[in-house]
Amino acid sequence: MQHYEDLYGLIRQDPEADRYFRSLPNFVRESISQRAQSINSIESLRDYAENLTRDDE
C-alpha cells in the first residue's frame, strides 16, 4: 500500500484517489480536508469518506 505525506500529496500523485475525492459531496470533501494530515493513503481516504457518509443514512 502506497503512503503519502498527506491528503494533498495523495490526490496530486494518485489519479484514482483524485477522482474519488472529486466525486464526494462537498461537505465530505471539506471534512476530509480539515483532517488532511491524517489521510495518507487511498484506503484511509475511502475509510474516512465512508464513515462520514454512513452517518447520513
Side-chain angles (χ1 to χ4, degrees), residues 9-38:
L10 170 64
I11 60 178
R12 188 170 47 248
Q13 296 174 42
D14 185 328
E16 180 185 354
D18 183 47
R19 280 191 303 274
Y20 180 73
F21 183 72
R22 290 172 188 257
S23 75
L24 296 169
N26 276 339
F27 81 95
V28 175
R29 289 199 311 259
E30 288 171 13
S31 294
I32 288 173
S33 294
Q34 291 172 3
R35 301 222 13 208
Q37 296 301 321
S38 303

Side-chain angles (χ1 to χ4, degrees), residues 28-50:
V28 175
R29 289 199 311 259
E30 288 171 13
S31 294
I32 288 173
S33 294
Q34 291 172 3
R35 301 222 13 208
Q37 296 301 321
S38 303
I39 297 170
N40 60 6
S41 69
I42 192 160
E43 289 81 6
S44 61
L45 173 61
R46 285 193 176 121
D47 287 347
Y48 194 56
E50 286 171 13

Side-chain angles (χ1 to χ4, degrees), residues 2-14:
Q2 180 76 35
H3 283 88
Y4 298 89
E5 184 176 331
D6 61 13
L7 169 67
Y8 304 110
L10 170 64
I11 60 178
R12 188 170 47 248
Q13 296 174 42
D14 185 328

